[in-house]
Amino acid sequence: PKMKEDNCLHAALICLGMLYYSHAVTTEKLNHTRPSLHGHHEKGKEGQVLHRSKRGWVWNQFFVIEEYTGPDPVLVGRLHSDIDSGDGNIKYILSGEGAGIIFVIDDKSGNIHATKTLDREERAQYTLTAQAVDRNTNRPLEPPSEFIVKVQDINDNPPEFLHENYHANVPERSNVGTSVIQVTASDADDPTYGNSAKLVYSILEGQPYFSVEAQTGIIRTALPNMDREAKEEYHVVIQAKDMGGHMGGLSGTTKVTITLTDVNDNPPKFPQSVYQMSVSEAAVPGEEVGRVKAKDPDIGENGLVAYSIIDGDGMDMFEITTDYETQEGVVKLKKLLDFETKKSYSLKVEAANVHIDPKFISNGPFKDTVTVKIAVEDADEPPVFLKPSYIFEVQENAASGTVVGKVHAKDPDAANSAIRYSIDRHTDLERFFIINAEDGNIKTIKALDREEIAWHNISVFAVEVHKQHQEAKVPVAIKVVDVNDNAPKFAAAYEAFVCENARSNQQFITISADDKDDSANGPRFIFSLPPEIIHNPNFTLRDNRDNTASVLVRREGFSRQKQDLYLLPIVISDGGLPPMSSTNTLTIRVCGCDSNGSMLSCNAEPYILNAGLSTGALIAILACIVILLVIVVLFVTLKRQKKEPLIVFEEEDVRENIITYDDEGGGEEDTEAFDIATLQNPDGINGFIPRKDIKPEYQYMPRPGLRPAPNSVDVDDFINTRIQEADNDPTAPPYDSIQIYGYEGRGSVAGSLSSLESATTDSDLDYDYLQNWGPRFKKLADLYGSKDTFDDDS
């Protein structure tokens, strides 16, 4: 309140001083200047009338103090013309910015007052126009003139910062005077008048860590070696004060939050000097053993630590990796352990910073070491074979009980339990081998054949006697060694032919051999003829010494009439120890060939017929065949010319009888179902005997139009009609009935051709010689050469 009263008093004094100065200047100018805007007559000493121009009034720039809060309107200034005699005939008029609203004028005295409180920060000056007129006629007595009313500034606005809160970062361990941030404040007062807008910065909170420059507002570090790990964040309050910081000035404040950023000024450090770990000997490589961690108070990349093993007897057995998420060193197993061999290991692990700041290298070294002791724990391990796999050999055809080989396993544990062996029968389904459960000897149970199975791959189990769940498995490959137990044979089923006109020593076939034995007991093959035919007059053999042999003709002049087939035995020996041999027969046919040696025919039958029959006999046979064909043609022709029926129907058509059987065929018993007389020629039978067929329960009526005419002589149509009726009859079961029509028709010249009646008639010719005509006339000989008679089956 006291400060406010002092400000008001100071403002009043300034206002009065300005008014006094304005009035003095106006009075002085009014005393020296005359109105010049209308004529004013004066008489000179000689009575002359002088005419001169003069100003009606003299005005100056007016000032008014802002924020005036007095009870009465403040006097801004006074307008007066020297033509104003004070009788009230002159009227003053005010116009322009704020006229009548902010500024009012007394039209008689010309005094201007401000009716409202003015704010320079809102408006610094106003432009007005003044004019003097005759009160009665409103005639202008003076030309209008402009003047300015300026609002005079007072310190009524405190400084304001651009931001209420500032945030800044500065690296820890920064040197004193390191710039952190610049804060800026502004003052709305007039910077050209007085010190109302002259600002000075000072720090209210944050000493002794930071300082601020009074004129610029730049905040700087004030203490050396500020440690982020000790204190990371600081709160600083900065003040800006106007009036140059003197008493009575206004002020404003802002808060600045300053964070120390991290630098790598701390090396990693293990919290302890020794780490104790343990791992089972059954652990597999890659399994985690334990973790170590070196503490580094730095953060981010400055706190990154990498771990490594630099020494120790376990460098080959263990490895260490870095878990960058937890900043831990992970110790892992690198190789399999054996408790019985070594029970503990020692490692020297180093932890080092990944990124090092050269500015703080003197704080180093930025690494630390620790000792890691690892104890190996005993585990119950399965048996271990001395070899990862076994390969044995045994000869084929070896006697049962032959020793193949021996496997051996032991218990790696300190207990050294006894071992029992067995064969995985899934790998030896045919049980060729057996193993001694005590010592691991493998023997054969039955003879082996290399040509069937050359390798036997079995698996052998080793199990601890007292711990059946602890077992091991090893593959055993058994090679069956070849023994020369297979003789060579022809490589193919050879079939050779030799021309009748073959030349002497002419090669006509090349043969080779196969041997099931291994190559050591197989080739080379030796081909030869048996000793008893070594001097064979027809053929000879030449060994080509490349596992093939050539067969050659020894003589000329082969004849199919004399002999069309030769069998040549050939002996083939292999190269085994002892060698084995076999005799193979080569079939050689004699064939007719052209002059170029191309085969034409190998058939020897024409020559055989010539030897047994003469040309006349062949002609007679052919003539008989022609006669038979002519008879058949005549018979067919006469049959079609007949107009009378073939069978006389007396009471009923026996061909319509249906034979019913109670089964699907009873052999010779079925002959009781029909009368054989129905098959005889009606001309040779006294009376007509109808068939005694069994009719079905439901009589099937044949469809009209399907029955042939009674006088029809076409037997084929009759048979086809009956077949169609039987096929379409739903009431007729599939009885096994055969209807045979042996009657060939009345009046036939040839008579019956049925073989049923021919059996009762003796043949006039003797056809036994047909048996000697060869296979081509075999069927004809069977038909005419037999003397047997056929009996009725009824």
Side-chain angles (χ1 to χ4, degrees), residues 365-590:
F366 287 85
K367 57 185 177 181
D368 193 18
T369 58
V370 70
T371 300
V372 178
K373 293 184 178 180
I374 302 174
V376 180
E377 297 177 348
D378 188 19
D380 188 8
E381 299 175 88
V384 177
F385 283 94
L386 298 185
K387 295 181 180 180
S389 62
Y390 292 86
I391 299 178
F392 300 129
E393 292 184 355
V394 61
Q395 286 190 342
E396 65 174 329
N397 302 326
S400 177
T402 301
V403 177
V404 176
K406 181 179 181 180
V407 298
H408 183 68
K410 66 176 183 178
D411 182 12
D413 298 323
N416 195 16
S417 300
I419 305 298
R420 293 292 180 268
Y421 302 95
S422 63
I423 294 177
D424 182 2
R425 287 304 171 188
H426 293 91
T427 61
D428 185 25
L429 295 175
E430 298 185 16
R431 294 183 175 269
F432 286 103
F433 306 98
I434 191 173
I435 190 170
N436 189 308
E438 303 292 337
D439 57 14
N441 275 321
I442 301 175
K443 298 179 180 180
T444 60
I445 301 178
K446 52 186 177 181
L448 307 177
D449 188 355
R450 190 203 67 86
E451 285 70 42
E452 290 185 1
I453 305 177
W455 284 86
H456 293 267
N457 296 306
I458 64 174
S459 296
V460 174
F461 289 113
V463 182
E464 294 184 16
V465 174
H466 301 294
K467 298 176 182 178
Q468 298 294 328
H469 65 282
Q470 294 290 5
E471 68 174 13
K473 187 177 182 180
V474 67
V476 178
I478 302 173
K479 179 182 179 181
V480 181
V481 181
D482 184 52
V483 174
N484 192 18
D485 58 346
N486 290 279
K489 296 181 180 180
F490 276 159
Y494 294 109
E495 186 173 353
F497 73 92
V498 62
C499 295
E500 290 179 309
N501 56 357
R503 299 185 305 273
S504 178
N505 293 326
Q506 179 181 350
Q507 175 183 336
F508 60 90
I509 190 172
T510 299
I511 60 174
S512 61
D514 280 340
D515 194 327
K516 293 182 180 181
D517 292 323
D518 196 5
S519 58
N521 292 317
R524 107 166 171 82
F525 297 124
I526 301 174
F527 299 85
S528 62
L529 295 177
E532 61 270 15
I533 63 167
I534 193 67
H535 299 295
N536 188 306
N538 299 318
F539 306 100
T540 184
L541 185 71
R542 183 180 64 205
D543 193 335
N544 296 326
R545 298 184 179 276
D546 59 354
N547 296 326
T548 64
S550 299
V551 183
L552 300 88
V553 177
R554 174 168 287 185
R555 65 178 178 85
E556 297 180 354
F558 288 90
S559 175
R560 286 181 290 174
Q561 298 179 6
K562 295 181 179 181
Q563 185 174 353
D564 66 335
L565 185 67
Y566 293 90
L567 300 177
L568 181 64
I570 299 176
V571 178
I572 308 175
S573 301
D574 59 21
L577 290 176
M580 292 195 71
S581 62
S582 66
T583 301
N584 301 264
T585 302
L586 178 65
T587 302
I588 305 172
R589 292 186 178 275
V590 179

Side-chain angles (χ1 to χ4, degrees), residues 281-295:
E281 65 171 335
V284 297
E287 187 172 329
E288 181 178 329
V289 178
R291 296 190 172 214
V292 297
K293 184 176 183 179
K295 295 183 178 180

Side-chain angles (χ1 to χ4, degrees), residues 729-765:
D729 184 7
T731 64
Y735 300 112
D736 293 342
S737 176
I738 300 177
Q739 296 186 16
I740 300 175
Y741 301 90
Y743 178 61
E744 303 298 336
R746 289 191 179 92
S748 174
V749 178
S752 175
L753 295 178
S754 173
S755 61
L756 295 175
E757 294 183 355
S758 64
T760 61
T761 305
D762 295 333
S763 176
D764 297 335
L765 299 176

Side-chain angles (χ1 to χ4, degrees), residues 648-657 688 690-691 695:
V648 178
F649 298 93
E650 295 180 356
E651 295 178 359
E652 61 177 344
D653 190 353
V654 297
R655 290 170 294 182
E656 293 181 354
N657 292 340
F688 175 77
R691 292 176 56 189
K695 296 182 180 180

Side-chain angles (χ1 to χ4, degrees), residues 658-665 726-727 729-737:
I658 299 175
I659 302 172
T660 303
Y661 296 91
D662 293 334
D663 52 25
E664 294 299 328
D727 292 338
D729 184 7
T731 64
Y735 300 112
D736 293 342
S737 176

Side-chain angles (χ1 to χ4, degrees), residues 1 63 125 165-166 227 233 310 370 429 462 501 532 574-575 591 612 616:
F63 293 89
Q125 66 180 23
N165 292 289
Y166 288 84
D227 191 2
E233 191 174 83
I310 60 175
V370 70
L429 295 175
N501 56 357
E532 61 270 15
D574 59 21
C591 300

